[in-house]
Amino acid sequence: MTERDNLLRMLSGEKADHLPLDVWMTEPARDLMESHTGSRDEVEALGLAVERIGPAYTSSPESWIQAYRGLGFMLSPEATVGCLGTVHDCPPAETLGAAYHLREMRHPLEHVETVSQLSELPWPDWESPDAYAHLGEAVEGAHRRGLAAVGQMDCTAFEMAWYLRGMGRLFLDLVDRTGLGDWLLDWFTQRAVHAVGQFVRSGFDIVWLGDDVGTQRGMMMAVPFWREHLKPRLAQVVQAVRDAETSPVWVAYHSDGDVREIIDDLVEVGVDVLNPVQPECMPVVQTVGDHRHHLAFWGMIGTQSTMPFGTPSDVKMAVTELADLARDGARVVLSPTHMIEPDVPWENLSTLVKASHMPLFNLR
Amino acid sequence: MNPLESLTDAVVRGDRREAVRLTSEQIDGGSPPKEILAALVAGMDTVGDRFQRNEAFVPEMLIAARAMTESMAVLEPLLAAQGIRPEHTAVIGTVQGDLHDIGKNLVAMMWRGAHFNVVDLGTNVAAEDFVNAAKDHGADIIGLSALLTTTMPAMRQTVQSIREAGLHAKVIVGGAPITAEFADSIGADAFAPDAATGVDIARKLVSA
Ligand code: B12
């Protein structure tokens, strides 16, 4: 059975051989992995179940930089511009210390005042077939390697709009109904609608959506606010998957933090899988118990607790707890709840990897 | 509702126009600036309480703080004229290596809302910068935020530097992975799980 077969069996509630595994690595974690396994490819070295593939938009950083200059937003020489206009700044090397991913996000659209300023920006053409031309082959490649193909459309709408506009401004736009927040959310929603259709037609097994709307203590915004502004847009994107699919494609949704208050709504719009279920703020056994009848769970191994601070036997215990749930019929994919940071001991990661590959029926 | 209660209510609802209008009206009507200020602060306190109970969220905090700020712009000259200044100064920042600032900003907003003088050092702040700023501004409170397990050691380091510098300021820490036990173990004076508790604790520490 390939990792893909095993994962798809797990998601559809058939008998899986073992708990499928997904791990997101930082570069220092990759260094550590290489020193122990000789490989920098975690899919191979750790036996992961998925390969993640996204669209390839063409847009020139130069045209963004110019457009931003026109808006009075100056970039520092160290800044990088993404194809969707996001801007990151890297502080001077001497202040970096151990913090290798210290890339500060700037909000280039913070001072925009009119919708026409937004529509005149050099947005990439999400309808261009070039953006998706590689997908079919990439999916086939993943399948040949025995991996499930995941179509990446995380930061679906809210997070992209927030990154460009700034969270505070975006919230104020929506409260004050300036139209700017809606314009941004709609632009990103429409591009996601288009992209997920392309994903489905290219043979992806899973479409990965997500927008962080949770915090350690609950929702970032009130549930009615989420229902008004974000839920209908998410529903459109999921519907686009349903409209395009000829055989079932799994829809996963990522939000950090405690999002228990919107789980029923997520299921209602068609989400199949929830990630990452941070155990530090969403009690795992209870959340799985409450929602296993309509949802699969992907994550649950805490990167604020077990992975950095636990012992290998704590890791084993966390996996065993999930194996118990899976044997009992819950659909579970193992994954640390965020990236493996340099504070995670190799022994904890290797224990997770070993335990995940043990036959489900021996893992007690 | 009397007019000052209406002003409090306007802040709670985040109705900035009404808040500014009522502030001006109160000023024109000769209400003591101190009482107007108290009405504004009461509004922020109420929003903070709601936030603590998960009945208000980031957007509600933002609009309440905006209503308060705009009202304060009208009120400030009168307060200054009467020599009414924030009695306490707080320095706040996110520790070195960490760029998360949404929570830290809310705490700063709430401390301002409680009429503290707040010096916000931003994110990725080195220990010595906290120390220097606390000295320069005569801080009574130093607030440290960390959202990453990987920056919790920087928080420990910062508390140590503050202690070594012999500052009298009280250190309050917070952020998603921070617990009361951790706060204790690094020698911080207090931990707050949310911004409203951060206000309660800061008030207690400065009056102790
Ligand atoms: C939003 C967010 C981001 C945003 C931050 C935007 C910004 N300008 O702040 C972005 C997308 C940029 C981001 C980046 C990253 N993030 Co992040 N992020 C979050 C998220 C979803 C929410 C945090 C938040 O803003 N909450 C809302 C505010 C209101 O709550 P709060 O911060 O907890 O603050 C409240 C209290 O804690 C308290 N408080 C906080 N500070 C202080 C200080 C004082 C003095 C007091 C009194 C109180 C107090 O009061 C606040 C208000 O009530 C959390 C998830 C989570 N569980 O928290 C992950 C999370 C913190 N991120 C995480 C990670 C891994 C990262 C990245 C490393 C990812 C990456 N590789 O790029 C980077 C780090 C970059 C860096 N060097 O800092 C992980 C950390 C895991 C770990 N090992 O600790 C988390 C926990 C997600 C997860 N699934 O595990 N992130």
Side-chain angles (χ1 to χ4, degrees), chain A residues 257-279:
Chain A
D258 179 358
V259 293
R260 279 175 290 176
E261 282 194 284
I262 57 165
I263 293 182
D264 285 330
D265 292 71
L266 291 172
V267 172
E268 184 198 313
V269 301
V271 168
D272 301 305
V273 184
L274 182 66
N275 169 263
V277 193
Q278 275 192 257

Side-chain angles (χ1 to χ4, degrees), chain A residues 102 176 217 219-220 222 343, chain B residues 52 54 57-58 66 97 149 193:
Chain A
L102 201 63
D176 297 343
R217 294 178 50 255
M219 293 290 288
M220 241 175 232
D343 57 0
Chain B
Q52 205 168 24
N54 276 346
F57 301 83
V58 178
R66 181 174 66 176
T149 54

Side-chain angles (χ1 to χ4, degrees), chain B residues 119-138:
Chain B
V119 181
D120 186 346
L121 304 179
T123 60
N124 186 31
V125 180
E128 70 257 32
D129 293 337
F130 277 108
V131 170
N132 292 337
K135 276 188 198 151
D136 293 349
H137 297 278

Side-chain angles (χ1 to χ4, degrees), chain A residues 2 12-13 32 38 59 64 89 91 105 122 124 154 157 172-173 190 192 235 303 348:
Chain A
T2 63
S12 52
L32 194 63
S59 94
W64 279 110
D89 233 347
M105 190 184 292
D154 56 336
L172 293 177
D173 282 337
Q190 289 320 308
T303 48
N348 286 2

Side-chain angles (χ1 to χ4, degrees), chain B residues 103-128:
Chain B
K104 181 265 297 169
N105 292 347
L106 289 188
V107 176
M109 218 179 267
M110 287 296 297
W111 280 350
R112 284 197 185 103
H115 207 229
F116 280 58
N117 171 36
V118 178
V119 181
D120 186 346
L121 304 179
T123 60
N124 186 31
V125 180
E128 70 257 32

Side-chain angles (χ1 to χ4, degrees), chain A residues 261-338:
Chain A
E261 282 194 284
I262 57 165
I263 293 182
D264 285 330
D265 292 71
L266 291 172
V267 172
E268 184 198 313
V269 301
V271 168
D272 301 305
V273 184
L274 182 66
N275 169 263
V277 193
Q278 275 192 257
E280 300 86 359
C281 51
M282 285 175 71
V284 171
V285 175
Q286 193 193 331
T287 307
V288 172
D290 289 349
H291 294 285
R292 48 185 283 172
H293 59 289
H294 57 195
L295 194 64
F297 304 88
W298 187 308
M300 288 78 73
I301 307 293
T303 48
Q304 288 175 321
S305 52
T306 316
M307 288 310 285
F309 302 135
T311 61
S313 83
D314 293 330
V315 175
K316 181 82 190 290
M317 237 157 65
V319 177
T320 312
E321 184 180 84
L322 292 167
D324 287 339
L325 293 170
R327 272 194 300 273
D328 200 33
R331 296 170 293 148
V332 171
V333 178
L334 275 188
S335 176
T337 50
H338 212 288

Side-chain angles (χ1 to χ4, degrees), chain A residues 13 15 51 54 69 164 176 342 349 354:
Chain A
K15 207 167 145 209
E51 183 164 322
R69 208 174 288 141
L164 291 172
D176 297 343
L349 185 55
K354 267 187 228 120

Side-chain angles (χ1 to χ4, degrees), chain A residues 52-64:
Chain A
R52 293 171 183 273
I53 303 155
Y57 301 116
T58 33
S59 94
S60 94
E62 223 10 82
S63 57
W64 279 110

